[in-house]
C-alpha cells in the first residue's frame, strides 16, 4: 500500500495533445482516483503527520502551466483535485476531437481531388482507394476510437494519397513528353492546309477550263444556229420579193444594152470548191465584133478562174484557171440561144451544147485543178481583179436569163430537156432567182419571154 513519489512535470510523460499519450493519461487519472478513494485512510496512517502525496499524470503543457502542489494554507481536498483533473482531461479530449475533425476534412478534400484526377485519367473509378487503404474497410466512415490507430491510419492515408499524386504527375509528364510539340502541330496543320488549298485551286482551275470550253462550244453552236436562221430569213425574203417583182422568181432577164465598163450584174452567192460543173443560160446578142463576156468568175490570185468570152474576131473561148479551150458556138445573130458548158477536173474534159445539141467536146483543160471557192461571179464583164477593173471592149452587150450552175456534169438528155422547155431544173449551186442577182451601172431587169416564145425565136 505504499505510495511512490512521482515528480510533477517529469519529461518522460507524453504530451496530452499527442494521440499516442492519451491512453496513459486516462489510465493514470483513473488509477489515481481509485487509489484516492479506497486508500486514503491507510495512506494517512502510514505517512508522517502533516504531509500528503497526490500522484497525478499530467501533460507537459499542464505541467508547464503549473502542477497542483500543497498550498501553504493546507492541502486541496481530493474532490477539488479530481475536478481540476477532469476539466483538464475534457479540454484535452476536445482538442483531440478538433484535430481529428480537421484531419478528416483534409482527407475528404484530397480524396475528392484524387478521385476527380483518377476519374479523368480513366485509371480507376472514384472511391476505390478507400477499400485499398482500409483493407476492405471504409476508413472515411466509422473511425476507430483508439487515437493511436486513428493517427496510424491517417498517416497511411496521407502516404497513399501522396504516392497516387506522384504517380499521376509521372503519367502526366510521360504524356506530355510523347505528345507533339505546339510548333510541330502548327507545321503539320499548315502543311495540310496548304495541300487542301492546292487541291482546291486545282479543282477551281479545272472547273474554269470546263466552263471556258462549254462557253466556246455554246458560242459556236449559237453562231451556227444564227447563221442558219439568217440564211433561212434571206431565202424567205428573196422568195417574197421575187413573188412581188415577177410572176415567178426566175421569170426575168438582165439587159446590158451598152458596151461600157460599168454596166454589169452580180450574183450574190459564191461558188464552193468544185471538181466538176455545168453552166447553162439563155442569151441574145447581135454585137460585133464579138458578144463580149457573158460571165466571169474570179478568185484571189486568179482573175480567170472561169470565164466565157467572145471578143474581137476570136471564137467563143472557155477559160479555166487561165487555160483556154475554143468552143464551136455561134450565138451573135441577135436571136435567143440556149447554151450549156460542162467540165470535170478529171483529164480536164469539157463539152459544149447549143440549143440542146452537143456541138463540141475536148480534154486537157486545166486537168486535176479544182475550182477554188469564195470568188466573185459577174454577169456581163471580164474581171482583171476580183470584182473589178473591167474592160469595155470585153463587155457583153445584149440580154441573158436562166443562168444556172450545178456541181456535176449534167446528162445530155437533161440538157436537151432544159433547152426544149420540157423540164425546169434550177441549178443546185447557183439558181436563177430575182433576189440572187443585183444590177449596176444602168443594167436592168425585165420580165422575160416564156420558154416557148424563146424557142420560136430560134
Amino acid at each position: 500500500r505504499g505510495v511512490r513519489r512521482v515528480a510533477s512535470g517529469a519529461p518522460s510523460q507524453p504530451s496530452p495533445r499527442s494521440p499516442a499519450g492519451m491512453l496513459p493519461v486516462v489510465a493514470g487519472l483513473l488509477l489515481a482516483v481509485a487509489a484516492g478513494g479506497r486508500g486514503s485512510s491507510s495512506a494517512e496512517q502510514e505517512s508522517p503527520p502533516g504531509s500528503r502525496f497526490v500522484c497525478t499524470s499530467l501533460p507537459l503543457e499542464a505541467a508547464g502551466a503549473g502542477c497542483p502542489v500543497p498550498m501553504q494554507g493546507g492541502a486541496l481536498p481530493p474532490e477539488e483535485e479530481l475536478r481540476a483533473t477532469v476539466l483538464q482531461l475534457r479540454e484535452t479530449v476536445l482538442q483531440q476531437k478538433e484535430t481529428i475533425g480537421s484531419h478528416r476534412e483534409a482527407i475528404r478534400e484530397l480524396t475528392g481531388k484524387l478521385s476527380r484526377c483518377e476519374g479523368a485519367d480513366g485509371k480507376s473509378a472514384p472511391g476505390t482507394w478507400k477499400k485499398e487503404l482500409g483493407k476492405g474497410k471504409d476508413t472515411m466512415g466509422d473511425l476507430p476510437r483508439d487515437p493511436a490507430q486513428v493517427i496510424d491510419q491517417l498517416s497511411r492515408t496521407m502516404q497513399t494519397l501522396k504516392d497516387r499524386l506522384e504517380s499521376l504527375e509521372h503519367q502526366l509528364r510521360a504524356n506530355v513528353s510523347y505528345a507533339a510539340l505546339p510548333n510541330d502541330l502548327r507545321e503539320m496543320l499548315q502543311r495540310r492546309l496548304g495541300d487542301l488549298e492546292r487541291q482546291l485551286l486545282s479543282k477551281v482551275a479545272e472547273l474554269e477550263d470546263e466552263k471556258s470550253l462549254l462557253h466556246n462550244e455554246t458560242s459556236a453552236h449559237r453562231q451556227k444556229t444564227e447563221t442558219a436562221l439568217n440564211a433561212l430569213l434571206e431565202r424567205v425574203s428573196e422568195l417574197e420579193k421575187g413573188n412581188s417583182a415577177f410572176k415567178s422568181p426566175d421569170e426575168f432577164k438582165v439587159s446590158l444594152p451598152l458596151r461600157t465598163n460599168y454596166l454589169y450584174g452580180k450574183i450574190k452567192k459564191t461558188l464552193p470548191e468544185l471538181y466538176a460543173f455545168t453552166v447553162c443560160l439563155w442569151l441574145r446578142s447581135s454585137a460585133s465584133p464579138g458578144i463580149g463576156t457573158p460571165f466571169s468568175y474570179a478568185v484571189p490570185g486568179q482573175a480567170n478562174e472561169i470565164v466565157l468570152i467572145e471578143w474581137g474576131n476570136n471564137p467563143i473561148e472557155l477559160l479555166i484557171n487561165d487555160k483556154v479551150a475554143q468552143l464551136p458556138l455561134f450565138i451573135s445573130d441577135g436571136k435567143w440561144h440556149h447554151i450549156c458548158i460542162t467540165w470535170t477536173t478529171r483529164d480536164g474534159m469539157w463539152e459544149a451544147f447549143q440549143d440542146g445539141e452537143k456541138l463540141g467536146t475536148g480534154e486537157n483543160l486545166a486537168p486535176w485543178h479544182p475550182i477554188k471557192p469564195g470568188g466573185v461571179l459577174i454577169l456581163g464583164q471580164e474581171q482583171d481583179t476580183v470584182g473589178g477593173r473591167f474592160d469595155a471592149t470585153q463587155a457583153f452587150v445584149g440580154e441573158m436569163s436562166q443562168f444556172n450552175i450545178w456541181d456535176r456534169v449534167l446528162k445530155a438528155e437533161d440538157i436537151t430537156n432544159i433547152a426544149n422547155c420540157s423540164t425546169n431544173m434550177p441549178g443546185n449551186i447557183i439558181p436563177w432567182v430575182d433576189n440572187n442577182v443585183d444590177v449596176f451601172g444602168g443594167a436592168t431587169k425585165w420580165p422575160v419571154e416564156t420558154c416557148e416564145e424563146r424557142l420560136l425565136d430560134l
Side-chain angles (χ1 to χ4, degrees):
R1 294 190 180 187
V3 179
R4 298 178 62 183
R5 295 178 180 269
V6 179
S8 62
S12 61
Q13 294 293 328
S15 174
R17 295 185 182 273
S18 173
M22 188 174 183
L23 290 178
V25 172
V26 175
L29 289 175
L30 291 177
L31 290 175
V33 171
R38 289 194 303 267
S40 62
S41 58
S42 60
E44 289 175 358
Q45 294 176 2
E46 294 178 3
S47 62
S51 63
R52 188 176 182 178
F53 294 94
V54 178
C55 295
T56 304
S57 178
L58 296 176
L60 294 176
E61 291 83 356
C67 181
V69 295
M71 300 181 64
Q72 296 179 359
L76 291 175
E79 294 81 3
E80 294 294 331
E81 292 179 358
L82 181 61
R83 185 179 293 110
T85 302
V86 169
L87 290 176
Q88 291 178 359
L89 180 61
R90 286 180 178 176
E91 182 180 358
T92 301
V93 170
L94 290 175
Q95 291 176 355
Q96 293 294 330
K97 286 184 177 180
E98 291 177 359
T99 302
I100 293 172
S102 63
H103 288 172
R104 292 178 65 181
E105 292 296 330
I107 290 172
R108 286 194 183 95
E109 183 178 358
L110 291 175
T111 302
K113 293 180 179 180
L114 181 60
S115 299
R116 288 193 297 273
C117 292
E118 291 181 341
D121 188 59
K123 300 296 182 181
S124 61
T128 56
W129 62 275
K130 295 181 181 179
K131 294 183 179 180
E132 294 176 358
L133 297 179
K135 295 182 180 180
K137 295 181 181 180
D138 190 356
T139 58
M140 297 308 295
D142 219 2
L143 291 173
R145 296 188 179 185
D146 189 351
Q149 295 180 2
V150 171
I151 296 302
D152 187 44
Q153 290 183 2
L154 289 176
S155 299
R156 290 196 302 270
T157 301
M158 293 295 293
Q159 186 62 36
T160 305
L161 291 175
K162 182 178 179 181
D163 294 340
R164 289 184 175 273
L165 287 174
E166 290 179 354
S167 176
L168 287 175
E169 289 178 356
H170 287 305
Q171 292 176 2
L172 290 175
R173 290 194 188 109
N175 292 336
V176 171
S177 63
Y178 287 105
L181 295 176
N183 291 332
D184 295 337
L185 287 175
R186 188 178 300 107
E187 292 178 358
M188 180 177 66
L189 290 175
Q190 288 178 352
R191 287 196 302 270
R192 291 185 178 179
L193 289 175
D195 294 339
L196 290 175
E197 184 177 2
R198 284 190 294 272
Q199 293 177 4
L200 181 60
L201 292 176
S202 176
K203 189 63 177 178
V204 169
E206 291 178 0
L207 292 176
E208 289 292 339
D209 293 339
E210 293 178 359
K211 180 181 177 182
S212 178
L213 292 175
L214 182 60
H215 177 71
N216 293 336
E217 292 178 359
T218 304
S219 299
H221 182 68
R222 185 186 301 113
Q223 185 177 2
K224 185 176 179 181
T225 303
E226 290 178 354
T227 302
L229 289 176
N230 290 334
L232 289 175
L233 290 175
E234 290 178 1
R235 180 61 176 165
V236 171
S237 299
E238 290 175 359
L239 293 175
E240 289 176 350
K241 292 180 180 179
N243 288 333
S244 63
F246 305 100
K247 293 180 180 180
S248 178
D250 63 344
E251 292 182 354
F252 72 97
K253 62 183 178 181
V254 173
S255 177
L256 302 167
L258 301 176
R259 193 182 295 272
T260 66
N261 61 355
Y262 53 85
L263 272 74
Y264 65 97
K266 181 178 180 181
I267 304 297
K268 293 181 179 179
K269 294 183 178 181
T270 186
L271 298 180
E273 186 176 42
L274 298 175
Y275 297 91
F277 66 80
T278 299
V279 179
C280 294
L281 72 156
W282 286 87
L283 56 81
R284 180 170 65 182
S285 177
S286 58
S288 61
I291 62 173
T293 306
F295 71 90
S296 64
Y297 175 69
V299 296
Q302 181 53 269
N304 297 324
E305 189 70 6
I306 305 176
V307 179
L308 183 64
I309 184 172
E310 183 186 40
W311 62 286
N313 295 317
N314 299 311
I316 292 181
E317 295 177 342
L318 175 63
L319 281 68
I320 296 180
N321 193 29
D322 215 15
K323 305 300 187 293
V324 181
Q326 294 183 346
L327 307 182
L329 301 178
F330 306 95
I331 51 176
S332 59
D333 54 2
K335 297 181 179 180
W336 281 107
H337 293 280
H338 185 265
I339 62 173
C340 284
I341 301 167
T342 68
W343 175 86
T344 176
T345 187
R346 183 174 183 179
D347 294 328
M349 295 291 297
W350 60 269
E351 297 174 323
F353 295 80
Q354 181 175 333
D355 300 327
E357 181 182 358
K358 184 165 66 173
L359 301 182
T361 183
E363 61 181 7
N364 202 30
L365 177 59
W368 313 111
H369 169 77
I371 303 300
K372 297 178 182 178
V376 176
L377 192 56
I378 297 293
L379 301 178
Q381 295 285 351
E382 193 274 333
Q383 307 173 63
D384 287 337
T385 60
V386 178
R389 285 187 60 182
F390 305 141
D391 186 353
T393 61
Q394 298 174 343
F396 174 80
V397 179
E399 298 173 333
M400 67 177 65
S401 181
Q402 298 298 320
F403 179 83
N404 292 280
I405 299 179
W406 295 263
D407 59 355
R408 64 186 185 276
V409 175
L410 293 184
K411 297 178 181 179
E413 57 182 328
D414 292 333
I415 295 175
T416 300
N417 291 332
I418 295 172
N420 60 24
C421 302
S422 62
T423 186
N424 184 16
M425 288 180 59
N428 66 334
I429 298 299
I430 301 295
W432 182 255
V433 290
D434 181 21
N435 290 325
N436 194 33
V437 180
D438 289 333
V439 292
F440 301 91
T444 57
K445 293 181 182 179
W446 297 96
V448 69
E449 296 85 346
T450 64
C451 188
E452 290 76 12
E453 290 175 346
R454 293 194 295 270
L455 284 177
L456 293 175
D457 194 34
L458 292 177

